[in-house]
Amino acid sequence: EAEVAQSPRYKITEKSQAVAFWCDPISGHATLYWYRQILGQGPELLVQFQDESVVDDSQLPKDRFSAERLKGVDSTLKIQPAELGDSAMYLCASSYAVKAYEQYFGPGTRLTVT
Amino acid sequence: GIQVEQSPPDLILQEGANSTLRCNFSDSVNNLQWFHQNPWGQLINLFYIPSGTKQNGRLSATTVATERYSLLYISSSQTTDSGVYFCAVEVDNNDMRFGAGTRLTVKP
């Protein structure tokens, strides 16, 4: 069964350093999402891509976060500089298309900022 | 924005018991999904259920979209059912909004 791949699974970084996460969606899925999940809460959408274009990045803290999906397949989420409050689980999901399609999630990257 | 409320927040069961988890939402939605988050943090798809009733083994779900709620039923619970159950609803452009989750603990 096809799965969403993410790496790394765990990342520990020091405050003010740069960190990057990678996601490879299910083959054929045009829509890709990055979510952040703080401990004890539900995931919250950071950014949504349709192919290589950003559909929604209204919740992305653009002063330090950036995301790209250059060829419309895999995607990278970057944080620079990392802050203590960025410690969270970062989840990637994909779906066949934008509206009313089931989303599938990857295993996530657990980030700890020290 | 849309509000998604899950109840109860915490649930402790003895193995073999049945349970019902509820998800209320404040506006019309395009779809609704139930997920189980395992201890390693991965979200496992349980149901894609914008309306109607579905069953998968010991789990079933019902969504009454006109009344803005969904129910997840777990029968004959097992210790492997432990974890957090999330309801998520889709608003415009597939923007999924998650509830705060129900933390289920099944004791042997």
Side-chain angles (χ1 to χ4, degrees):
Chain A
E1 184 175 307
E3 296 180 342
V4 177
Q6 288 189 248
S7 66
R9 295 291 307 276
Y10 303 92
K11 180 69 177 179
I12 300 174
T13 192
E14 292 183 348
K15 185 174 59 172
S16 79
Q17 295 299 303
V19 63
F21 314 128
W22 177 81
C23 172
D24 192 14
I26 292 172
S27 178
H29 279 194
T31 310
L32 184 147
Y33 315 81
W34 284 101
Y35 290 84
R36 178 171 60 184
Q37 184 179 20
I38 296 169
L39 191 65
Q41 300 180 18
E44 294 183 334
L45 181 70
L46 291 174
V47 60
Q48 176 185 346
F49 290 92
Q50 174 68 20
D51 299 312
E52 67 276 7
S53 300
V54 174
V55 173
D56 181 1
D57 63 355
S58 57
Q59 300 303 311
L60 189 69
K62 298 181 186 64
D63 56 335
R64 297 184 300 107
F65 286 64
S66 64
E68 60 184 15
R69 193 184 184 199
L70 293 177
K71 297 183 179 179
V73 181
D74 59 338
S75 175
T76 302
L77 178 69
K78 297 179 181 178
I79 308 175
Q80 182 173 14
E83 296 181 353
L84 295 177
D86 296 332
S87 295
M89 175 75 91
Y90 290 82
L91 295 160
C92 179
S94 70
S95 65
Y96 178 74
V98 172
K99 197 174 179 70
Y101 285 91
E102 189 169 2
Q103 291 192 23
Y104 297 87
F105 282 78
T109 297
R110 191 174 298 278
L111 173 67
T112 301
V113 182
T114 62
Chain B
I2 191 168
Q3 302 298 313
V4 183
E5 295 182 352
Q6 290 187 242
S7 60
D10 294 280
L11 185 59
I12 301 174
L13 299 175
Q14 207 65 35
E15 196 169 31
N18 302 329
S19 62
T20 301
L21 282 58
R22 187 176 180 100
C23 173
N24 292 333
F25 43 97
S26 61
D27 205 345
S28 300
V29 298
N30 297 324
N31 77 54
L32 185 146
Q33 288 185 241
W34 282 98
F35 297 91
H36 175 213
Q37 190 162 41
N38 66 22
W40 297 271
Q42 177 143 19
L43 286 165
I44 307 299
N45 290 43
L46 298 178
F47 294 102
Y48 171 80
I49 187 167
S51 63
T53 298
K54 291 185 177 181
Q55 180 155 5
N56 184 3
R58 296 181 295 104
L59 274 59
S60 64
T62 295
T63 296
V64 184
T66 53
E67 298 186 20
R68 299 179 184 168
Y69 73 89
S70 183
L71 302 174
L72 177 68
Y73 306 96
I74 305 174
S75 65
S76 303
S77 58
Q78 301 175 358
T79 56
T80 51
D81 295 332
S82 295
V84 183
Y85 289 80
F86 286 103
C87 163
V89 300
E90 179 201 316
V91 292
D92 291 339
N93 291 332
N94 215 17
D95 181 5
M96 292 282 278
R97 298 294 174 88
F98 284 74
T102 292
R103 180 173 298 278
L104 175 65
T105 302
V106 181
K107 294 188 172 182

